[in-house]
Amino acid sequence: MCGIVGFIGRHDAAPILLDGLSKLEYRGYDSSGIAVRDENGNFEVVKAKGKLKELFEKTDSGKAIHGTTGIGHTRWATHGEPSETNAHPHISGTDVDDSGVVGVHNGIIENYVEMKDKLLRKGYKFYSETDTEVMVKLVDYYYKKYKCPPGEAIAKAMVRVRGSYALVLMFKDHPDEIWAARKDSPMIIGICDGETYVASDVPAILKYTKHVYYIGNMEIACLKEGTAEFYNIDSEPLEKELVEITWDAEAAEKGGYEHFMMKEIHEQPRAITDTLNSIIKGEGKDRRIDFSCVGISDEDIKKISQIYIAACGSAWHVGMAAQYVIEDLARIPVRVELASEFRYRNPILDKNGLVIVISQSGETADSLAALREAKDKGLKTLAIVNVVGSSIAREADYVVYTVSGPEIAVATTKAYSTQLIVTYLIAIHFAAVRGHLDADKYAYYISELYTLPEKIEKIFETKDKLQWFAAKFVNVHDVFFIGRSIDYAVSLEGSLKMKEISYVHSEAYAAGELKHGTISMIEDGTLVIGVLTQPSLYEKTMSNMVECKARGAYLAAVTSYGHYNIEDTSNFVTYIPNVDAHFMGSLSVIPLQLLGYYLSLSRGLDVDKPRNLAKSVTVE
Ligand code: F6R
């Protein structure tokens, strides 16, 4: 979604704002803008439609604008088309010179039409179609009406609006301050060497500081040079601790790869090892899964009657794979729910159930709402999250972090893989606690997990073959992915990877389901990709592939070493190493990620920033 950066210090703000915004481009954007206060206290606002490079050009990379306090924004349109007028920052007047307040905003103000009507009646004039302009003017209205400090005016506006937002404002009368507030939309404040930064996401300020404050929900912050003060909605001061971020700036750079996605695909062995090591303690046969810092006790685990997994997109696909693994190992019934459906259908939940929410960003609006729904119904919640301190991590009863580092490419790869790993560890641990695993089997599963990183490296050796295959199918229109059980879950992910970055229509089907309708779409040359890694289901999926071939399909297969007879049927095969069947999804997904990547590349598309998409979906 949109990105926010703000700076107050001794250096010119504009180059810092542009640099920070460029680190947030991956969140999705269609226009951008900055506002800087000059030495005479006047605001200068520059906006541009399209890529951030337009704003760089308009401002000579920020060098043309002087002033040490400023705010910036990359916009992903929700209200009003992408245009310079609708781009942020927005002003409280009709002209920058008659404006006392200027601001940027992420999220959605749901009742903005009602607020706009109120302000129109009070004589405000609007130039854009955005909810942000309404919010800025609403703050201005209260500021003038009550002649109160900025924080109180912001609080009054927060009480009147519904929705989710991260809001950053400058007030003409308060030259040495930037004000920020948030509700259900992420924002952090960084401090370093007498200078202060605010951003919607860590990578924007990582180059400058690793020391940050997290602003809580419905809290307000006042930033000054090198300090920040915090208030609740009643304007009472709050104490906050400065937290150190462990990611380094290099982790958010491309590191020699052409795209973040390829870099992140290659980081998977390391990310998996780090995630395993963060949870597994001890050596050799004594290795144990240690959830003590998660806080979930053996007693809690024994009481669980049912697991509900709620997530969106790829994280939901992780849930689909986890369902098979947890049910098979821990013998606990698992239901996997799309968070966007779960939150609105008033689900009947067993009080002894555990709700697991999976999210890379920890800020996905629907997943956060699903978590709250579960908590409201009195269930315990466990979050699997990558971004430390994110809303989902803070609100869940238990949190297990994936150790992926920052994921920048819009299409997830390493976060998906580490989420899978955490679900395997939950399955093994819960199985052991509930008496379904003996010591040998326990040690076997853990040692199998530790073989994954080097097996993934082995799959990277097949990259050329996959690139060739992608080039051959560069003009493909429709693709069907089929598989059973875990292979079906991975097919869903393979299909999404293809759609989101290659814009090729594809569908994933449980292989046995095809003949109940969809097989009518198979005709001469239709590409069908089978995922066949589950020994007990290999023959079954094979039969479904043969049914497609009989109708003219071109067959491609992902299967494991040893199944060489597949070449008698399949036109193209990519082989992966073997691992215990429960964990095969961690290997079979790799060629499918690479296929999505190479197809996007062959089609000349923007791999890291596909159209219409955003990295962190903080609106419903
Ligand atoms: C696809 C992708 C998305 C996310 C989904 C949930 O490649 O990245 O489908 O998985 O938007 O995001 P998080 O995990 O941040 O909740």
Side-chain angles (χ1 to χ4, degrees):
M1 302 278 111
C2 313
I4 289 178
V5 187
F7 170 79
I8 177 160
R10 295 179 307 275
H11 294 88
D12 268 345
I16 295 171
L17 299 177
L18 287 170
D19 180 57
L21 292 178
S22 69
K23 301 291 187 310
L24 295 183
E25 279 187 288
Y26 69 91
R27 290 175 67 101
Y29 63 98
D30 44 51
S31 52
S32 56
I34 55 171
V36 172
R37 172 197 292 283
D38 69 19
E39 56 190 13
N40 302 318
N42 298 318
F43 295 136
E44 184 161 0
V45 177
V46 188
K47 307 200 241 185
K49 183 180 166 196
K51 301 250 175 201
L52 197 58
K53 76 173 175 28
E54 309 292 336
L55 191 62
F56 268 86
E57 272 166 25
K58 270 188 159 179
T59 60
D60 188 18
S61 302
K63 292 197 282 285
I65 300 189
H66 300 287
T68 56
T69 306
I71 57 179
H73 191 262
T74 48
R75 175 171 187 255
W76 186 83
T78 54
H79 296 73
E81 54 161 13
S83 67
E84 204 173 302
T85 310
N86 287 332
H88 306 203
H90 285 287
I91 51 176
S92 57
T94 44
D95 184 79
V96 72
D97 294 328
D98 71 11
S99 295
V101 186
V102 54
V104 295
H105 153 240
N106 283 358
I108 288 180
I109 306 297
E110 285 168 6
N111 57 338
Y112 82 106
V113 175
E114 185 194 324
M115 291 297 115
K116 190 170 181 174
D117 284 348
K118 169 188 163 86
L119 291 165
L120 282 167
R121 286 196 301 274
K122 301 286 175 197
Y124 278 86
K125 292 197 170 50
F126 288 84
Y127 56 85
S128 81
E129 301 157 90
T130 66
D131 50 348
T132 307
E133 188 190 351
V134 177
M135 188 65 179
V136 171
K137 288 184 158 77
L138 192 65
V139 172
D140 179 70
Y141 167 71
Y142 287 122
Y143 181 65
K144 285 184 179 143
K145 179 171 175 188
Y146 292 102
K147 303 194 181 0
C148 55
E152 283 177 33
I154 294 170
K156 287 188 193 323
M158 286 168 83
V159 170
R160 291 303 308 272
V161 299
R162 290 193 303 275
S164 62
Y165 46 83
L167 184 69
V168 178
L169 301 161
M170 294 191 293
F171 290 74
K172 206 168 248 176
D173 303 344
H174 292 259
D176 303 322
E177 298 167 358
I178 292 178
W179 286 82
R182 72 170 279 260
K183 175 174 176 276
D184 297 341
S185 193
M187 195 157 51
I188 48 159
I189 290 174
I191 307 275
C192 184
D193 287 341
E195 301 188 305
T196 305
Y197 305 80
V198 57
S200 52
D201 212 351
V202 175
I205 58 171
L206 211 46
K207 183 168 150 189
Y208 306 101
T209 182
K210 286 189 192 168
H211 294 98
V212 302
Y213 291 111
Y214 292 105
I215 318 182
N217 236 3
M218 298 300 276
E219 289 178 1
I220 298 162
C222 174
L223 286 63
K224 299 182 180 170
E225 273 185 32
T227 60
E229 291 155 8
F230 297 88
Y231 304 94
N232 65 15
I233 198 79
D234 298 320
S235 299
E236 293 159 346
L238 300 169
E239 288 297 315
K240 293 252 170 209
E241 231 176 88
L242 208 54
V243 178
E244 186 172 353
I245 293 172
T246 49
W247 297 353
D248 58 16
E250 204 186 313
E253 304 288 343
K254 281 192 200 142
Y257 288 93
E258 199 179 337
H259 298 100
F260 279 113
M261 183 176 175
M262 198 45 139
K263 176 185 175 237
E264 288 161 7
I265 287 174
H266 279 85
E267 283 173 345
Q268 291 180 106
R270 199 257 326 129
I272 287 176
T273 307
D274 289 351
T275 302
L276 287 172
N277 288 343
S278 72
I279 300 169
I280 297 174
K281 305 289 175 249
E283 295 291 322
K285 278 214 149 235
D286 294 329
R287 286 189 290 213
R288 310 289 310 163
I289 295 165
D290 182 356
F291 277 136
S292 54
C293 60
V294 174
I296 188 164
S297 69
D298 289 359
E299 283 320 301
D300 294 335
I301 294 169
K302 281 181 195 154
K303 274 193 229 140
I304 296 170
S305 57
Q306 162 92 44
I307 290 178
Y308 307 92
I309 301 180
C312 302
S314 294
W316 179 75
H317 298 158
V318 170
M320 289 294 285
Q323 178 183 35
Y324 295 103
V325 183
I326 297 173
E327 286 197 338
D328 196 47
L329 295 182
R331 309 307 300 156
I332 305 173
V334 180
R335 220 162 79 193
V336 190
E337 304 260 0
L338 290 165
S340 54
E341 292 292 312
F342 182 85
R343 64 182 292 191
Y344 288 124
R345 72 174 176 76
N346 192 15
I348 299 168
L349 304 175
D350 190 313
K351 283 267 179 267
N352 293 317
L354 174 72
V355 175
I356 300 181
V357 175
I358 308 175
S359 175
Q360 186 285 126
S361 60
E363 301 292 350
T364 300
D366 286 322
S367 305
L368 182 58
L371 179 103
R372 290 177 179 166
E373 173 76 20
K375 289 184 80 171
D376 284 351
K377 288 192 150 49
L379 276 82
K380 288 282 183 208
T381 54
L382 183 151
I384 302 175
V385 172
N386 193 40
V387 178
V388 175
S390 54
S391 303
I392 292 175
R394 278 183 289 157
E395 293 190 26
D397 297 297
Y398 313 113
V399 188
V400 185
Y401 283 110
T402 49
V403 192
S404 299
E407 192 176 64
I408 308 291
V410 164
T412 182
T413 52
K414 61 177 179 169
Y416 170 93
S417 284
T418 51
Q419 287 163 354
L420 260 186
I421 294 292
V422 172
T423 65
Y424 299 156
L425 295 175
I426 288 173
I428 297 167
H429 183 65
F430 284 19
V433 170
R434 293 165 72 104
H436 295 298
L437 270 192
D438 63 30
D440 285 350
K441 217 51 194 177
Y442 184 91
Y444 158 76
Y445 285 135
I446 292 192
S447 67
E448 281 293 273
L449 288 178
Y450 273 102
T451 67
L452 287 172
E454 84 179 45
K455 289 174 180 168
I456 293 175
E457 297 282 2
K458 193 87 195 138
I459 299 171
F460 292 156
E461 291 172 17
T462 61
K463 272 189 330 194
D464 288 352
K465 193 173 164 186
L466 290 162
Q467 185 163 19
W468 171 86
F469 182 71
K472 179 175 163 71
F473 280 94
V474 65
N475 292 320
V476 68
H477 288 295
D478 297 293
V479 183
F480 292 88
F481 288 81
I482 60 170
R484 287 166 182 257
S485 87
I486 291 169
D487 292 339
Y488 168 50
V490 171
S491 297
L492 287 165
E493 179 60 6
S495 170
L496 179 60
K497 287 280 105 45
M498 187 160 286
K499 280 183 280 231
E500 65 182 333
I501 53 173
S502 305
Y503 316 153
V504 170
H505 169 252
S506 79
E507 290 191 43
Y509 260 80
E513 194 54 26
L514 211 61
K515 57 182 156 308
H516 297 288
T518 313
I519 201 162
S520 64
M521 297 186 70
I522 307 290
E523 53 187 23
D524 261 356
T526 306
L527 177 56
V528 175
I529 302 180
V531 183
L532 307 93
T533 72
Q534 299 297 300
S536 61
L537 297 168
Y538 178 84
E539 298 295 342
K540 302 269 176 218
T541 306
M542 205 54 227
S543 307
N544 301 130
M545 291 183 68
V546 172
E547 286 159 12
C548 294
K549 186 158 190 174
R551 283 148 185 94
Y554 181 101
L555 295 186
V558 177
T559 191
S560 57
Y561 296 161
H563 289 117
Y564 303 116
N565 67 343
I566 202 167
E567 290 183 32
D568 299 340
T569 319
S570 202
N571 307 78
F572 175 88
V573 186
T574 185
Y575 293 101
I576 57 175
N578 280 294
V579 70
D580 179 84
H582 296 96
F583 314 138
M584 280 304 283
S586 288
L587 300 180
S588 54
V589 75
I590 307 292
L592 302 185
Q593 293 171 344
L594 288 164
L595 200 56
Y597 173 85
Y598 284 127
L599 197 56
S600 176
L601 199 66
S602 315
R603 291 162 74 92
L605 301 173
D606 192 343
V607 177
D608 285 336
K609 286 174 261 151
R611 69 185 177 205
N612 306 340
L613 286 175
K615 182 69 184 161
S616 179
V617 185
T618 47
V619 293
E620 314 183 17

